[in-house]
Amino acid sequence: DTGVSQNPRHKITKRGQNVTFRCDPISEHNRLYWYRQTLGQGPEFLTYFQNEAQLEKSRLLSDRFSAERPKGSFSTLEIQRTEQGDSAMYLCASSLSISPYEQYFGPGTRLTVT
Amino acid sequence: KNQVEQSPQSLIILEGKNCTLQCNYTVSPFSNLRWYKQDTGRGPVSLTIMTFSENTKSNGRYTATLDADTKQSSLHITASQLSDSASYICVVGGSNDYKLSFGAGTTVTVRA
C-alpha cells in the first residue's frame, strides 16, 4: 500500500496524559499536512510541512501541540496534557508542492480523552 | 467564519435513486473546488477537482458542477448504491495553495 498511513488508528487516553501520533506520507510527496476533525464537521487545518520545515501553524495549535518532520519523511504530532476537548479525528494528508491541490488523506487517528 | 456551506446536512435515499448535494462558498479569490467522499472512520478520498474554468467533471456515477459566478457547486450521484453511504465534503482552495476551506459535509445514507 503506497498511500498515506497513520498510526495508531485509535487512541484512548486519560486526561492529562501525553499522546503521539505518526503519519507516513506518500513517499515522493514533499508536503505534509495535519488536520483535526470533530464529529459532523469538516477537517480543520492545524499545520503543514514542506520537507522538514514547518511553514504554517493554525491558531488551533495551542502550546500543548507540537508537530515535527525531522527528516522530511514521516511526521509526528504530539499532544501534551490532553484535555477532553482534544477528542477528535486527527487526519494527515500529503501532496507535492507543485500540485498542492491534490492532497491525499490518511485514514486518521481517532483520539478519545476520558 | 465558515466560508463553505453545504446542504442538506443529511439525506436518505433508496438504492438506485439519484440525489444532488449542494455547496455554496464565499472563498475569494477562488482557485479550485473539490468533492471528497469520507466513509465513517476513514480519511477523505477525492472524487473530483475543478478549477474556475471548468463547469462539470465526472467520475463514474458522480458528476460535479461548478458555477464560479454564483459560487455554487453541486454533486450528483446517479443510480445510488449501498456503498455510496458516506459523508461528502466540499473543499475550496483559495489564494494560499496549501490552505483549504472545508464544508461540514452532507451525510448520505442509501437504503436497500
Side-chain angles (χ1 to χ4, degrees):
Chain A
D1 189 348
T2 58
V4 179
S5 62
Q6 293 186 243
N7 288 288
R9 293 293 310 280
H10 304 275
K11 179 70 176 179
I12 300 174
T13 190
K14 292 184 178 179
R15 188 177 50 164
Q17 297 296 305
N18 299 343
V19 294
T20 300
F21 310 141
R22 175 177 170 130
C23 171
D24 287 88
I26 294 173
S27 58
E28 61 268 29
H29 285 182
N30 57 349
R31 284 197 178 181
L32 186 149
Y33 312 80
W34 283 100
Y35 294 88
R36 182 172 69 185
Q37 185 178 27
T38 54
L39 199 62
Q41 299 298 316
E44 297 172 293
F45 171 81
L46 291 178
T47 187
Y48 93 102
F49 294 83
Q50 179 155 316
N51 300 314
E52 64 276 6
Q54 188 174 17
L55 299 186
E56 179 73 16
K57 291 197 300 184
S58 162
R59 289 174 298 173
L60 294 174
L61 216 63
S62 75
D63 292 342
R64 297 184 296 106
F65 288 69
S66 63
E68 294 182 343
R69 195 183 183 198
K71 298 181 179 179
S73 56
F74 74 90
S75 174
T76 58
L77 177 68
E78 181 183 17
I79 308 176
Q80 296 182 328
R81 305 181 302 281
T82 53
E83 302 172 355
Q84 287 188 322
D86 297 331
S87 296
M89 173 79 88
Y90 290 84
L91 292 165
C92 174
S94 70
S95 76
L96 293 170
S97 55
I98 59 173
S99 55
Y101 310 146
E102 298 289 339
Q103 291 187 23
Y104 293 82
F105 284 83
T109 294
R110 169 72 66 187
L111 172 67
T112 301
V113 181
T114 62
Chain B
K1 179 182 177 181
N2 193 343
Q3 299 185 71
V4 181
E5 299 287 345
Q6 292 188 242
S7 62
Q9 185 175 9
S10 64
L11 65 90
I12 300 173
I13 58 173
L14 293 177
E15 187 178 15
K17 299 297 185 181
N18 305 335
C19 67
T20 301
L21 316 179
Q22 300 293 338
C23 173
N24 295 337
Y25 62 91
T26 58
V27 176
S28 183
F30 167 82
S31 173
N32 59 88
L33 186 145
R34 278 158 282 191
W35 284 92
Y36 281 87
K37 178 186 179 186
Q38 186 174 23
D39 293 316
T40 301
R42 308 286 297 183
V45 175
S46 179
L47 292 175
T48 64
I49 177 171
M50 291 180 290
T51 63
F52 64 89
S53 61
E54 297 175 288
N55 300 118
T56 186
K57 183 74 69 78
S58 291
N59 179 0
R61 295 179 297 100
Y62 301 102
T63 300
T65 65
L66 173 65
D67 185 333
D69 291 331
T70 62
K71 299 186 177 181
Q72 296 179 326
S73 176
S74 66
L75 180 70
H76 187 76
I77 305 175
T78 303
S80 61
Q81 301 177 357
L82 296 177
S83 59
D84 293 331
S85 295
S87 178
Y88 292 83
I89 303 174
C90 177
V91 184
V92 180
S95 57
N96 285 323
D97 64 359
Y98 63 87
K99 195 167 287 184
L100 306 176
S101 297
F102 291 79
T106 292
T107 300
V108 174
T109 302
V110 181
R111 290 186 174 165

